[in-house]
Amino acid sequence: MHVYHDLRITPSILNADHTNLSAEIAKIAVDSDLIHLDIMDNLFVPNATWDFAAAEKIIANCPIPVDAHLMINDVDRIALDYAHAGAGSVTIHIEAAQTPTQTLRNLRKIGARAGMALKPGTDIESYADLLDEIDMLLIMTVEPGFGGQKFMADMMDKVRKSKVLIGDRPIWIQVDGGVSMETIAIAREAGADTFVAGSAVFNSPDPAEMVKMLRHRASDL
Ligand code: DX5
Ligand code: ZN
């Protein structure tokens, strides 16, 4: 079974070299906890990435668990396909979900970790009753859609509030967007323990080393 670190680094391959994805993943797989796969449908966000058939191949070939971040409208139906395809974690945006409780329960039933994501404008208080249904809360630190944007430090308030609401439930708190050597400690200090990093990892001359450095910086409070 895959063993996760206490502080998880989940590199996003959104801005990796898509023509050579297995090599890109191989570079970082040893030190990473999960590979973060950003799925966009050009409806929920103004950008499109892999369709399900392509994503299924990535999941099947990935040497470590895949963390599917679904930025799509028809999420209640498609999320279960990702779980059946073998994604280790499947995250749905609460703004897109029509039947969140049922979808999150079904994800767990299929054997995936169930994640709930909040866009920057979405508060956690309104969804506190869903905390019993999830294994991970994703707090976006950019508007979803693109890599390489600036980390929104004003989301740390939401991270702190979430940590209080979560209490002793074993829920991971993930941040996604603009996470780098400069910002990861801010997120860790607020209570995040799972970190997506796209451009910080893949724009680095040594992506594998960057994964380790990020985890080290996060542990270094
Ligand atoms: C944005 C995606 C992110 C993105 C992060 O919508 O959800 O996962 O790849 O990229 P960076 O780390 O460059 O902000
Ligand atoms: Zn993402």
Side-chain angles (χ1 to χ4, degrees), residues 21-88:
L21 268 187
S22 47
E24 293 282 81
I25 291 173
K27 279 184 200 165
I28 52 159
V30 178
D31 299 299
S32 303
D33 291 281
L34 304 97
I35 298 296
H36 184 84
L37 186 63
D38 289 300
I39 303 299
M40 308 185 190
D41 64 354
N42 223 349
L43 296 167
F44 184 72
V45 288
N47 193 7
T49 58
W50 300 274
D51 60 14
F52 180 69
E56 212 176 6
K57 284 191 194 118
I58 296 172
I59 294 167
N61 292 312
C62 194
I64 64 170
V66 166
D67 171 30
H69 175 196
L70 306 182
M71 289 162 273
I72 58 176
N73 273 350
D74 194 10
V75 73
D76 295 287
R77 183 177 61 83
I78 299 175
L80 306 186
D81 294 342
Y82 278 83
H84 283 300

Side-chain angles (χ1 to χ4, degrees), residues 12 36 38 69 71 138 140 176 196:
S12 161
H36 184 84
D38 289 300
H69 175 196
M71 289 162 273
L138 166 51
M140 292 302 298
D176 180 8
V196 179

Side-chain angles (χ1 to χ4, degrees), residues 6 31 57 69 79 92 108 114 123 144 166 172 191 198 210 212:
D6 292 337
D31 299 299
K57 284 191 194 118
H69 175 196
I92 62 170
R108 282 175 153 180
D123 66 80
I166 285 171
W172 297 353
M210 181 52 71
K212 287 196 227 169

